[in-house]
């Protein structure tokens, strides 16, 4: 086969395949012309292979990357951030009739599931998606995706509290520790502290602070891996950007 033939041949046709530039444009990467330019400049890979103009892919199965960042081409997949209010249970539908996550998702047409949980008394960032593979990786402890929390406790705090938590404390189900700890603010007899950990055990943040003598009066999750709560209002959801979704895939090594 001549060199020219090798450099212009298309990927093996598959059922449901579409031209790569069309798939990229539908995923929000840019216009078709801009996507063609990305392919021409060898900045796009499909299933680990450098893509070529004329390639066709199945958006439901192809692993597409631009400059090494994952692009989700399957338009059926949904990725949402939600600010769970206090008092809402982290289930889609509660058998006891309590306010649940589905009560805030009237405008979401696809059926989505929450990634992990926050107890009813806690609030803040939850991720919701119908991408089961990504959800599993985000929740599995082997991937070590960090989560950040802002907590209110009784103040003032002695300096050794953070050192104790980062060194590790013994809980009834084994030792646990935080990755980072800092005092954000102190107001009268109340202190705000921020801590980050990759543990996923039930009530782990409350139990850690209880163990060092500072029970939590308010707990807000402010980040999951690269995704931050920001100024999203309580009870609201927003769709993650392409860059945020790519960052989540990167966080789990995909």
């Amino acid at each position: 086969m001549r060199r020219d033939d090798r450099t212009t041949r298309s990927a093996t046709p598959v059922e449901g395949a579409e031209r790569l530039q069309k798939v990229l444009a539908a995923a929000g990467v840019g216009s078709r012309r801009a996507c063609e330019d990305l392919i021409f400049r060898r900045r796009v890979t499909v299933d680990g292979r450098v893509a070529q103009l004329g390639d066709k892919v199945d958006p439901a199965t192809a692993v597409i990357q631009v400059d090494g960042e994952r692009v989700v081409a399957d338009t059926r997949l949904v990725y949402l951030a939600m600010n769970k209010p206090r008092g809402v249970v982290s289930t889609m539908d509660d058998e006891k009739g309590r306010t649940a996550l589905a009560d805030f998702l009237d405008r979401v047409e696809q059926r989505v599931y929450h990634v992990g949980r926050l107890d009813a008394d806690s609030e803040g960032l939850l991720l919701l998606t119908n991408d089961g593979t990504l959800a599993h990786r985000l929740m599995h402890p082997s991937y070590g995706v960090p989560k950040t929390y802002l907590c209110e406790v009784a103040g003032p705090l002695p300096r050794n509290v953070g050192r104790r938590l980062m060194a590790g404390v013994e809980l009834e189900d084994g030792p646990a520790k935080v990755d980072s700890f800092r005092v954000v603010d102190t107001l009268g007899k109340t202190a705000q502290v921020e801590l980050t950990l990759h543990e996923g055990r039930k009530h782990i943040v409350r139990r850690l602070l209880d163990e060092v003598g500072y029970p939590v009066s308010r707990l807000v999750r402010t980040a999951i891996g690269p995704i931050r709560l920001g100024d999203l209002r309580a009870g609201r959801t927003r769709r993650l950007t392409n860059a945020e979704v790519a960052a989540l895939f990167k966080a789990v090594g995909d």
Side-chain angles (χ1 to χ4, degrees):
M1 182 181 292
R2 295 179 304 171
R3 176 178 295 273
D4 288 348
D5 292 334
R6 288 199 303 269
T7 57
T8 58
R9 65 180 175 81
S10 296
T12 303
V14 296
E15 186 177 352
E18 302 177 57
R19 286 198 176 274
L20 179 56
Q21 61 265 38
K22 179 182 178 182
V23 171
L24 289 170
V29 174
S31 67
R32 287 200 194 182
R33 182 66 61 85
C35 293
E36 288 175 354
D37 187 61
L38 290 172
I39 298 168
F40 177 76
R41 294 177 183 275
R42 301 174 61 83
R43 294 169 58 185
V44 182
T45 63
V46 178
D47 297 331
R49 177 185 62 82
V50 176
Q52 302 170 10
L53 286 172
D55 281 356
K56 290 186 176 183
V57 299
D58 182 352
T61 59
V63 176
I64 303 172
Q65 293 182 317
V66 176
D67 295 333
E69 300 290 333
R70 180 75 174 264
V71 175
V72 178
D74 190 344
T75 56
R76 297 170 300 178
L77 295 177
V78 178
Y79 305 87
L80 303 172
M82 176 182 183
N83 186 349
K84 186 191 86 68
R86 191 170 187 170
V88 176
V89 294
S90 290
T91 60
M92 300 311 295
D93 186 24
D94 185 61
E95 60 184 14
K96 297 180 180 179
R98 295 171 295 182
T99 303
L101 301 178
D103 296 319
F104 299 87
L105 300 174
D106 292 343
R107 297 182 180 180
V108 180
E109 295 180 1
Q110 296 89 337
R111 187 175 184 180
V112 295
Y113 304 91
H114 50 93
V115 179
R117 294 175 178 270
L118 281 172
D119 62 70
D121 290 332
S122 299
E123 54 197 287
L125 182 62
L126 269 178
L127 299 181
L128 303 112
T129 184
N130 55 0
D131 186 337
T133 300
L134 179 61
H136 170 75
R137 293 183 179 183
L138 289 171
M139 290 187 289
H140 200 283
S142 66
Y143 290 94
V145 177
K147 301 175 182 66
T148 302
Y149 300 85
L150 187 65
C151 304
E152 285 187 2
V153 298
L157 272 70
R159 292 186 177 182
N160 71 337
V161 169
R163 290 197 296 269
R164 289 177 62 189
L165 289 170
M166 287 189 286
V169 297
E170 191 70 33
L171 302 177
E172 64 271 18
D173 55 353
K177 64 180 181 178
V178 304
D179 301 325
S180 66
F181 177 92
R182 71 184 180 98
V183 177
V184 176
D185 195 13
T186 300
L187 181 62
K189 295 182 178 181
T190 301
Q192 286 189 339
V193 299
E194 181 186 79
L195 51 89
T196 299
L197 71 168
H198 57 270
E199 283 267 10
R201 282 180 273 173
K202 189 174 182 180
H203 304 311
I204 188 67
V205 174
R206 294 182 182 275
R207 292 162 56 203
L208 279 168
L209 287 165
D210 276 345
E211 187 64 26
V212 296
Y214 289 88
V216 174
S217 58
R218 185 185 181 194
L219 185 151
V220 181
R221 184 156 64 197
T222 58
I224 300 174
I227 310 302
R228 302 197 65 81
L229 180 64
D231 58 1
L232 186 63
R233 292 170 56 188
R236 296 293 183 89
T237 62
R238 68 172 180 85
R239 289 183 180 265
L240 299 185
T241 65
N242 289 340
E244 287 176 317
V245 176
L248 281 177
F249 277 104
K250 190 172 184 178
V252 297
D254 196 349

